[in-house]
Amino acid sequence: DRARARFRTAQAQLLGGDKEGARATLELFVTQDAHAKDAGEARFLLAQLHAEAGRGEEALRVTLDLLRLGRETSDAKAWRGWQRRTGVFLAERFFGEGDYHSALLLWRALAGLDEEAGWRGPALYQTGRCLERLGQPEEARAVYAELAKLEG
């Protein structure tokens, strides 16, 4: 099908070293084939390409779109995996670069993906760390208190 061919084209461009071509193909893919099977992975690759090119705002936009989109399909588990992988990749990158505002946006969105303590706990912890770095100790304490309740 056309969507699969477009995604494979982007992968081939990446393998061939044509990152800008892959970026353009992936942008088209996520716009025209937003609900295709490979849409989660495409958004991950696109966010990664933007981040590597120093286009943090675009990487953030792509990732937040992915995190906001619910996926009610037979492939929901895979979709959730791409949400997590993309969000964590970019949140850690932003934190490491000192962009605590962007990291905070992502960690908050990631914490809301799943109520399971094994997922939510680490996301809350990272949220607290961002708040500390942003000079918001009271908010950080509130997040750590929520984390403590979660872990019982």
Side-chain angles (χ1 to χ4, degrees), residues 84-103:
R84 289 177 173 191
R85 183 174 178 187
T86 307
V88 169
F89 162 76
L90 201 57
E92 288 178 347
R93 184 179 184 113
F94 281 139
F95 190 90
E97 293 171 353
D99 184 353
Y100 305 119
H101 287 286
S102 296

Side-chain angles (χ1 to χ4, degrees), residues 71-141:
R71 192 64 187 243
E72 302 298 327
T73 70
S74 60
D75 211 11
K77 185 176 180 181
W79 183 261
R80 182 59 46 101
W82 286 113
Q83 286 178 310
R84 289 177 173 191
R85 183 174 178 187
T86 307
V88 169
F89 162 76
L90 201 57
E92 288 178 347
R93 184 179 184 113
F94 281 139
F95 190 90
E97 293 171 353
D99 184 353
Y100 305 119
H101 287 286
S102 296
L104 177 62
L105 282 172
L106 291 171
W107 284 118
R108 282 184 168 158
L110 287 163
L113 281 182
D114 195 331
E115 292 299 317
E116 190 263 317
W119 171 257
R120 189 164 165 74
L124 286 173
Y125 173 74
Q126 295 299 335
T127 298
R129 289 184 66 215
C130 291
L131 289 165
E132 285 180 27
R133 296 289 174 103
L134 290 168
Q136 299 174 23
E138 291 303 316
E139 284 190 53
R141 275 193 280 281

Side-chain angles (χ1 to χ4, degrees), residues 134-150:
L134 290 168
Q136 299 174 23
E138 291 303 316
E139 284 190 53
R141 275 193 280 281
V143 169
Y144 293 139
E146 183 180 351
L147 175 60
K149 288 179 192 172
L150 184 68

